[in-house]
Amino acid sequence: MRNHTRTRILAAVAAAGVLLHAVPASAFSDITNDKQAAIVQSLQDKGLIQGISADKFAPNAKLTNAQAVQLIVDAIGLDSAKKKTNAPSWFLAVPQDAWYTGALKTALERGIVIDGQWNANGNPTREQFAKLLYLGLLQKGNYAKVSKYKAIADAKQIAPKNRVAIEYLLLTKIASLDGKKNFRPTDAITRMEAAEMIYYAERMVNKSYASSDKATVIYKVENVDPSFNKVTLTRTNLPGTGYGLKIRKIEFVSDTEAIITYAPTDPPSGGSGTAYPAHAVAYVPIVYDITVKAE
């Protein structure tokens, strides 16, 4: 079944995808997991997160409500809504000069509903953070709708109003279950757990770059249905007409990893022949993490 899926994709369309850059050892001494170090490094490079000191990230510390809202607004790239919604009554008591007030105001304007009273220093649970992130993602595009639920061992602990949000994040690989298939919805979300979700969410909605010495390429991943992501690869800063982009090969190196190799193309000599467009689109199964590289 897996081989049929791969063959269909290879035959159907060229592709590009998400690049998880290799990074040096973590700048934070309290992160020893290589994958987590890469995630934190990527988010830090983009100015989305910072440590609690020069060499400490405190991955197991609880995230605060203020940090959660600021992180989601910044990572997804939300801006003030043209059609503003009425702020809840508790917003009047929020200090207008607080570092998080701008992000909180934007979130509320964009329809990110915050249940209950606001406590900037309170700690959101995993399901509460998932709901806020889900609502933020809905502001950026028409993503896949949840058509069926996954088997979650502790599903009965999830508040009904948060179930779709959690299912959506699981569907799009933004969130994951633990080894016992638990989501742990009522646990306070840690800084590392939030960073992991934000990393995959930001990767889904924002453009990424895969440059070579010959071309600069941007690529964007959009979830379009329960099984596939739409991946758009575009060559920018073209030196003239006729320059384009071509996908050379797609290698499925494991059941969850694929490598996309591209090459920039020059105008055909003599003005004849095939001129490839400066972009390519593919529909890639959501189970694959994709690395994009130049030929």
Side-chain angles (χ1 to χ4, degrees):
M1 189 68 172
R2 177 81 63 183
N3 290 335
H4 289 310
T5 300
R6 294 175 181 172
T7 300
R8 185 176 64 207
I9 297 165
L10 285 167
V13 65
V18 176
L19 178 61
L20 176 58
H21 296 283
V23 298
S26 173
F28 300 111
S29 61
D30 52 358
I31 300 179
T32 57
N33 179 281
D34 289 343
K35 185 174 182 180
Q36 291 181 342
I39 286 173
V40 170
Q41 184 70 57
S42 175
L43 295 178
Q44 187 181 34
D45 289 345
K46 294 175 182 177
L48 296 176
I49 61 171
Q50 60 185 3
I52 62 171
S53 68
D55 67 337
K56 300 290 184 183
F57 181 71
N60 298 320
K62 297 176 182 178
L63 194 74
T64 68
N65 286 319
Q67 291 169 343
V69 170
Q70 187 74 58
L71 193 56
I72 290 170
V73 168
D74 288 349
I76 298 177
L78 296 180
D79 51 16
S80 297
K82 293 181 180 179
K83 182 180 180 180
K84 299 180 179 180
T85 57
N86 293 326
S89 58
W90 53 255
F91 185 73
L92 296 175
V94 174
Q96 295 304 295
D97 58 351
W99 62 267
Y100 56 80
T101 301
L104 179 60
K105 184 173 182 290
T106 294
L108 294 172
E109 289 177 351
R110 294 301 294 263
I112 298 180
V113 179
I114 297 174
D115 297 329
Q117 296 296 309
W118 171 254
N119 177 2
N121 296 317
N123 306 117
T125 63
R126 285 172 53 82
E127 67 176 337
Q128 289 171 339
F129 183 82
K131 180 66 172 292
L132 294 177
L133 181 54
Y134 169 72
L135 292 175
L137 288 169
L138 292 184
Q139 303 302 313
K140 296 298 289 186
N142 296 317
Y143 298 110
K145 295 182 178 180
V146 175
S147 58
K148 61 180 180 179
Y149 283 173
K150 288 183 173 291
I152 303 175
D154 54 359
K156 291 183 179 180
Q157 297 180 28
I158 300 173
K161 63 183 178 182
N162 298 328
R163 184 67 188 266
V164 170
I166 291 172
E167 292 286 351
Y168 176 79
L169 297 189
L170 293 173
L171 170 71
T172 54
K173 309 295 184 182
I174 291 172
S176 60
L177 302 175
D178 65 19
K180 296 182 180 180
K181 296 189 179 300
N182 290 314
F183 185 76
R184 303 178 4 259
T186 60
D187 288 0
I189 192 166
T190 67
R191 285 166 55 84
M192 190 66 240
E193 289 170 340
E196 289 175 324
M197 289 190 199
I198 286 296
Y199 171 79
Y200 291 110
E202 192 273 342
R203 194 173 74 162
M204 187 173 80
V205 301
N206 295 325
K207 293 178 180 179
S208 300
Y209 291 82
S211 300
S212 68
D213 58 348
K214 296 182 179 179
T216 297
V217 171
I218 61 174
Y219 50 95
K220 185 175 183 179
V221 180
E222 302 170 277
N223 186 236
V224 292
D225 74 24
S227 300
F228 289 87
N229 285 329
K230 178 183 178 182
V231 188
T232 304
L233 176 67
T234 303
R235 181 180 177 185
T236 64
N237 300 323
L238 299 177
T241 59
Y243 289 87
L245 183 70
K246 183 177 182 180
I247 303 300
R248 293 298 191 190
K249 60 182 177 179
I250 306 173
E251 300 173 282
F252 294 90
V253 296
S254 74
D255 286 342
T256 59
E257 298 177 271
I259 298 176
I260 310 299
T261 303
Y262 73 87
T265 60
D266 295 334
S269 58
S272 61
T274 301
Y276 291 100
H279 61 83
V281 174
Y283 294 87
V284 181
I286 62 174
V287 297
Y288 289 103
D289 282 331
I290 301 174
T291 296
V292 178
K293 67 177 186 179
E295 185 175 51

